Amino acid sequence: MSHFLFEDEAEHVIVGTGAGGATAARVLSDAGRSLVLLEEGPNLRPDQRPTDLLTGMAQAVRDMGSQTTTGATPIPLLQGRLVGGSTAINSGIIWRLPEDVIDHWSREHGLGDLVERAALERIYEVIERELEVAETGEDVLGGNGHLMARACEKLGLPGKPITRNARRCQGRAHCLQGCPSEARQSMDVSYIPMAVARGARLHALSRVERVLLEGGRAVGVEGDVLDADTRRPRGRFRVRATRGVIVAGGAVHTPAVLLRSGLRGLVGHRFQAHPGAAVSARFPEPVGMGTGATQGYEVPMRTDGFKIESLSLPPEMLATRIPGAGKAWQERLSALDYYGQWAVQVRMKAHGRVTLGWGGGPIVRYEPLDDDVARAQKAIGIICRMMLAVGATEVHPGIGHVPETLRTIADVEAFERTRLRRSDIHFMASHLFGTACAGSDPTRSVVGPDLQHHQVRDLHVMDASVFPTNLGVNPQHSIMAVVYRAAERLAQAERRAA
Amino acid sequence: MLTFERRAAATVLEAFAPFQEPALAVRPGEVDWSRAFESMARASSPLAAFGLRAALWIALASPLLVFGSLRSFRSLEPARRSEVIERLLVHRFYIVRELALYLKLTACMAIFSSPAVRARSNYDRRPELAARPKSDPPESGSPEPDRRRLPVAAAGGVL
């Protein structure tokens, strides 16, 4: 009798159901492949997801966002852990792979075929049509987005409405907790159901421990079936793959799976991120962050190394950012709908590394460089100026060792003159890259331009961990396009071989 | 969690928002502080759960650390408890600041998981604010920022 709670078999096993894994499933199921999809988190319908963060994040976000980088100043990593991965908790922001990144990857990493412009163009059009990509409309920009638009007009900044995969957005500001109107086309409501309709089998609450290797090729995976309530293992599973295994667990968990499978080399190296920080401010009239797109407006400043975005977070998170405790804090909370919040994502130059801890879980070593901190400070200064430009009466930069509240331009100038240390800024990171880099040179990469492991046949990595660099823009669309291209080529190669 | 820890968690978290007059005031019995603490600890990574417990103990020891007083946290007046918590939130040691902030996040999770408080916050969906006219806000006391002094080449920043 088998000691596995379940066993399964398919041509391809896909580990992870985020932007990478779901897109691979969409392409390979379209090519007629039989698939098994494995996801560590639960399968939650958007209307089953609670509104309050305490229960909602516990269900959908890995460790409530408390998994951090190690080092003197830990950075929390926000990653979705449910069917749909981080696409089910993000704002669905769509940016194509930047031209300079395409050039760099082609020239320095031999990825010209993978990111060939004409092919990507065709793929973008398919994805953008299927995922209902559109610019955020004025009708759902919300008070927070409109304020940022006005600030850009006043200061001559290059702001624009954010393009998202949510054409039917009703402005309910619930992206993080799961879009209640299912307007955001995250993977759990788009490519995963599409693949399942074509016969793919989805196993949620199934955490892959390692890839099974035989004779130099990947033949399946093994792992733990998790209890829905406690998330503790309640048994084992095994899935065999006749054609191969695709690992798409994200830049932290993909290298962990590979390392637990005995694969070393450069696995885990070149971890990169876009850590971000938020600034909140009180305005003289209601902003109403609970209404409108969670993120509707942005100021892309890639040449400066950062991007500013409106960020209407749930009240739990906004209240945490508002300084103080006790009476003064409560007084501010009583005017919570008068607050706006904008954030910056910094394209950091720092590189880190993912290794395994004692229990086999991932450890992320990462520390921003002084230059990264300086760019974050510059961006935060700009946000403070933008907020004052549209009438903010109190701006809270959320920075240690500087005043909690800035009220005038002179205050902002004093802030900008302060030399910040890394530990002064409360960073959080959700865009993670590297750790299983793609490249044509096996001595400098983990997988080849076809995203197949250099040493192990039929083992592919299809998520942001194959990106040799970070991007400076939100990565979901780039992940989907690159994976789409690689999965198409995999299906074609299999067809030729047959 | 030990019963003592549960009680201590409720006392410390309540110090963030003791019953006061403002509209959002958290009324006695309205928020289950210890359940929030327990839920956060259970859902967090093992290291973060340890950190949350450490934060609780630091808060309990804070009368000694902050005021040099041998009084227990519970014996302080509510306003004094809040003052202690505020001092921890801006403490010069990074780790103390971060752990205090983690307690504050837990307190906020507790506060807004109460439907009554949430409704009073007036934060959730207000359709009339979704599409606002792009007009300038009313004049406030803030001086107009000077565009010429903005430290960025705005047009050059576009992708």
Side-chain angles (χ1 to χ4, degrees):
Chain A
M1 189 180 134
S2 168
H3 68 286
F4 293 105
L5 272 184
F6 76 83
E7 289 185 90
D8 205 341
E9 181 174 306
E11 289 176 293
H12 290 282
V13 179
I14 299 178
V15 181
T17 60
T23 304
R26 180 247 174 269
V27 174
L28 292 173
S29 64
D30 191 36
R33 299 287 176 272
S34 67
L35 304 175
V36 166
L37 316 179
L38 298 168
E39 168 57 50
E40 180 182 345
N43 189 10
L44 301 173
R45 285 180 45 81
D47 59 7
Q48 292 173 327
R49 291 173 62 181
T51 307
D52 75 286
L53 279 197
L54 186 58
T55 39
M57 279 185 73
Q59 286 183 359
V61 177
R62 182 177 293 283
D63 299 336
M64 293 284 281
S66 69
Q67 184 190 18
T68 65
T69 60
T70 60
T73 52
I75 298 176
L77 305 173
L78 195 66
Q79 297 177 286
R81 184 176 57 184
L82 72 168
V83 171
S86 293
T87 71
I89 62 164
N90 71 14
S91 303
I93 298 177
I94 295 292
W95 271 84
R96 294 183 175 190
L97 191 61
E99 290 293 313
D100 60 301
V101 175
I102 292 177
D103 289 341
H104 178 81
W105 289 6
S106 303
R107 193 177 60 243
E108 301 293 329
H109 300 276
L111 298 178
D113 273 356
L114 179 66
V115 293
E116 199 258 316
R117 282 182 169 80
L120 287 186
E121 188 68 31
R122 172 180 56 81
I123 290 166
Y124 289 140
E125 284 175 16
V126 173
I127 294 173
E128 289 166 15
R129 185 180 65 250
E130 291 178 344
L131 299 191
E132 303 182 16
V133 171
E135 196 172 80
T136 305
E138 287 232 345
D139 55 333
V140 291
L141 210 46
N144 202 30
H146 278 297
L147 268 178
M148 181 178 266
R150 286 213 305 267
C152 288
E153 277 173 20
K154 282 201 153 201
L155 299 182
L157 289 166
K160 67 180 192 59
I162 292 178
T163 299
R164 301 176 302 142
N165 56 359
R167 184 176 294 133
R168 291 173 285 123
C169 176
Q170 296 175 9
R172 298 173 74 166
H174 271 63
C175 288
L176 180 59
Q177 304 98 311
C179 180
S181 51
E182 299 192 22
R184 180 194 54 199
Q185 294 300 293
S186 48
M187 298 297 103
D188 54 320
V189 299
S190 56
Y191 285 169
I192 295 295
M194 194 184 282
V196 169
R198 291 171 181 151
R201 290 186 297 285
L202 170 65
H203 298 282
L205 294 166
S206 301
R207 180 173 62 203
V208 170
E209 179 196 334
R210 65 191 180 100
V211 178
L212 302 173
L213 307 173
E214 286 175 10
R217 62 179 294 262
V219 296
V221 297
E222 267 187 14
D224 293 317
V225 179
L226 306 181
D227 181 84
D229 296 322
T230 66
R231 300 295 163 89
R232 294 208 173 92
R234 61 181 185 87
R236 301 281 293 169
F237 71 86
R238 182 169 64 191
V239 181
R240 306 290 295 193
T242 56
R243 285 186 187 269
V245 174
I246 294 170
V247 182
V252 173
H253 289 272
T254 284
V257 169
L258 299 181
L259 289 167
R260 287 196 297 263
S261 308
L263 302 171
R264 296 285 184 268
L266 294 175
V267 173
H269 291 249
R270 294 181 68 94
F271 173 86
Q272 292 160 80
H274 295 156
V279 179
S280 51
R282 184 170 177 166
F283 292 88
E285 58 180 317
V287 176
M289 286 212 298
T291 307
T294 298
Q295 295 195 267
Y297 206 83
E298 63 186 356
V299 192
M301 303 174 88
R302 280 189 78 242
T303 53
D304 292 284
F306 52 80
K307 181 167 170 280
I308 293 168
E309 299 165 339
S310 63
L311 180 61
S312 299
L313 284 176
E316 294 89 333
M317 288 185 165
L318 173 63
T320 307
R321 305 288 309 180
I322 294 174
K327 191 174 180 185
W329 184 60
Q330 277 190 288
E331 188 280 321
R332 284 181 168 132
L333 291 198
S334 70
L336 207 57
D337 56 336
Y338 284 69
Y339 279 83
Q341 182 166 260
W342 303 341
V344 60
Q345 301 271 353
V346 182
R347 187 185 189 189
M348 292 204 172
K349 294 176 180 170
H351 280 203
R353 186 175 172 189
V354 175
T355 56
L356 291 183
W358 285 109
I363 292 176
V364 184
R365 300 174 203 280
Y366 182 77
E367 199 72 55
L369 308 175
D370 288 347
D371 185 48
D372 296 326
V373 175
R375 269 178 295 128
Q377 181 176 8
K378 179 179 174 180
I380 291 168
I382 291 171
I383 294 175
C384 293
R385 288 168 180 270
M386 291 168 69
M387 288 174 152
L388 289 177
V390 285
T393 52
E394 292 186 328
V395 177
H396 308 304
I399 305 288
H401 295 114
V402 299
E404 291 180 321
T405 303
L406 310 180
R407 293 186 173 84
T408 66
I409 285 295
D411 291 344
V412 179
E413 286 171 346
F415 162 74
E416 288 167 341
R417 283 194 301 272
T418 306
R419 184 178 160 79
L420 295 187
R421 292 169 300 180
R422 155 67 194 95
S423 59
D424 291 329
I425 304 180
H426 294 290
F427 285 117
M428 176 168 265
S430 55
H431 303 165
L432 314 176
F433 310 88
T435 70
C437 283
S440 54
D441 181 353
T443 65
R444 294 176 57 218
S445 54
V446 175
V447 298
D450 56 359
L451 306 189
Q452 182 171 210
H453 193 276
H454 282 302
Q455 280 82 43
V456 180
R457 278 182 296 121
D458 301 330
L459 174 60
H460 289 76
V461 176
M462 294 195 184
D463 59 27
S465 48
V466 303
F467 287 6
T469 65
N470 55 10
L471 309 178
V473 296
N474 309 67
Q476 178 179 328
H477 202 23
S478 300
I479 296 168
M480 290 190 293
V482 166
V483 168
Y484 197 111
R485 170 94 169 126
E488 259 188 352
R489 295 167 85 195
L490 172 62
Q492 285 163 4
E494 287 173 351
R495 216 166 20 241
R496 278 198 299 272
Chain B
M1 267 179 82
L2 304 171
T3 309
F4 162 77
E5 268 187 312
R6 253 194 298 273
R7 276 212 312 270
T11 305
V12 169
L13 294 183
E14 194 173 10
F16 282 92
F19 179 54
Q20 304 273 356
E21 280 310 310
L24 190 64
V26 176
R27 288 160 194 165
E30 204 167 42
V31 171
D32 192 342
W33 303 103
S34 51
R35 186 190 77 88
F37 188 91
E38 220 167 345
S39 301
M40 279 291 277
R42 200 171 42 242
S44 298
S45 68
L47 185 63
F50 173 77
L52 194 59
R53 283 203 159 90
L56 182 62
W57 284 98
I58 289 172
L60 291 174
S62 56
L64 180 62
L65 297 174
V66 173
F67 299 129
S69 159
L70 284 173
R71 293 179 65 183
S72 70
F73 187 86
R74 186 184 282 270
S75 70
L76 298 176
E77 294 295 309
R80 196 79 164 150
R81 292 180 196 171
S82 302
E83 190 186 338
V84 168
I85 293 289
E86 259 191 303
R87 299 273 284 271
L88 294 179
L89 285 165
V90 294
H91 200 273
R92 66 182 189 280
F93 291 146
Y94 171 80
I95 188 69
V96 176
R97 287 201 308 273
E98 288 297 302
L99 290 177
L101 191 68
Y102 203 25
L103 277 180
K104 187 175 180 179
L105 176 63
T106 307
C108 291
M109 293 280 189
I111 291 169
F112 289 98
S113 62
S114 157
V117 178
R118 201 173 175 108
R120 282 204 303 280
S121 79
N122 206 21
Y123 188 85
D124 288 322
R125 185 171 169 74
R126 296 173 66 188
E128 77 277 11
L129 294 175
R132 309 177 79 202
K134 289 179 115 181
S135 61
D136 278 346
E139 288 299 317
S140 76
S142 304
E144 181 71 10
D146 185 344
R147 183 184 304 185
R148 288 166 302 179
R149 286 191 291 166
L150 199 68
V152 60
V158 192
L159 177 66

